[in-house]
Amino acid sequence: MKLTPLQKRAARLERNKSEVDVNLVSLIDIFTILLFFLLSSATGVETLSSPKAVKLPQSTAETSPRETVVVVVSHDDILVSGRRVATVAEAMATEGDLIASLKAELEGLPGAAPEQPPAQSKSVTIMGDKDIPYRLLRKVMYTAARANFSDVSFAVIRKYEAS
């Protein structure tokens, strides 16, 4: 009996038919890369972006930064959340420790309303240049306290000790 080309092809396919093998090596590679990426990107370490004009001091701080209002104090300006509120010269020239423009800006932030219950502490992170005078830093801290920011943190560069 002579088979047609179509029948020959069908017979050959039937003869060579086997169970479908799934190559798991490539799937394992993909899942390993995906797992490595997820673990490395979800380590829970937060960093604050530091302006180039501010050189932060080094410290052996153990706590990680959290999201708060950021006050940047450079050699020239005082910024709140990236917006300039005063110059360092103006702040140093003011009588007393209160910087009025900084206090007004901090009080005008969303979530910084004075009618908040006192049990809920408001946090501020001061990112000050390592060479600013202590007198200026004291004025910024005093002003933040007068604007009802009771939890004050300082941004530093983590210095790792050789053990």
Side-chain angles (χ1 to χ4, degrees):
M1 168 165 132
K2 190 161 183 164
L3 298 174
T4 65
L6 190 58
Q7 290 172 333
K8 286 181 185 177
R9 183 169 185 238
R12 190 173 53 247
L13 285 175
E14 189 66 35
R15 187 176 58 234
N16 294 335
K17 186 177 183 182
S18 65
E19 294 297 315
V20 177
D21 289 333
V22 176
N23 189 357
L24 292 178
V25 174
S26 60
L27 288 176
I28 291 172
D29 288 345
I30 290 171
F31 284 122
T32 303
I33 291 170
L34 184 63
L35 182 66
F36 177 74
F37 172 74
L38 290 175
L39 287 176
S40 65
S41 66
T43 57
V45 174
E46 291 186 36
T47 58
L48 296 171
S49 60
S50 172
K52 292 181 181 178
V54 177
K55 294 180 182 142
L56 295 176
Q58 291 188 350
S59 173
T60 56
E62 294 295 323
T63 57
S64 297
R66 58 188 190 278
E67 239 179 87
T68 61
V69 175
V70 177
V71 177
V72 177
V73 183
S74 68
H75 287 289
D76 303 320
D77 298 315
I78 299 174
L79 306 135
V80 175
S81 299
R83 199 172 126 193
R84 189 177 117 186
V85 295
T87 65
V88 169
E90 292 170 354
M92 293 298 280
T94 59
E95 285 294 319
D97 284 339
L98 186 70
I99 305 169
S101 57
L102 176 60
K103 183 179 183 217
E105 183 70 23
L106 289 173
E107 287 177 340
L109 292 173
E115 62 268 3
Q116 277 187 331
Q120 188 177 17
S121 69
K122 295 183 284 184
S123 301
V124 64
T125 300
I126 298 174
M127 189 180 290
D129 193 273
K130 66 180 181 178
D131 295 325
I132 61 170
Y134 175 74
R135 188 169 146 235
L136 176 61
L137 185 60
R138 187 183 71 211
K139 286 183 177 209
V140 172
M141 289 189 301
Y142 180 82
T143 304
R146 290 293 165 243
N148 296 324
F149 283 86
S150 58
D151 187 11
V152 178
S153 302
F154 295 98
V156 294
I157 295 174
R158 182 174 286 171
K159 177 173 66 175
Y160 295 101
E161 294 180 7
S163 306

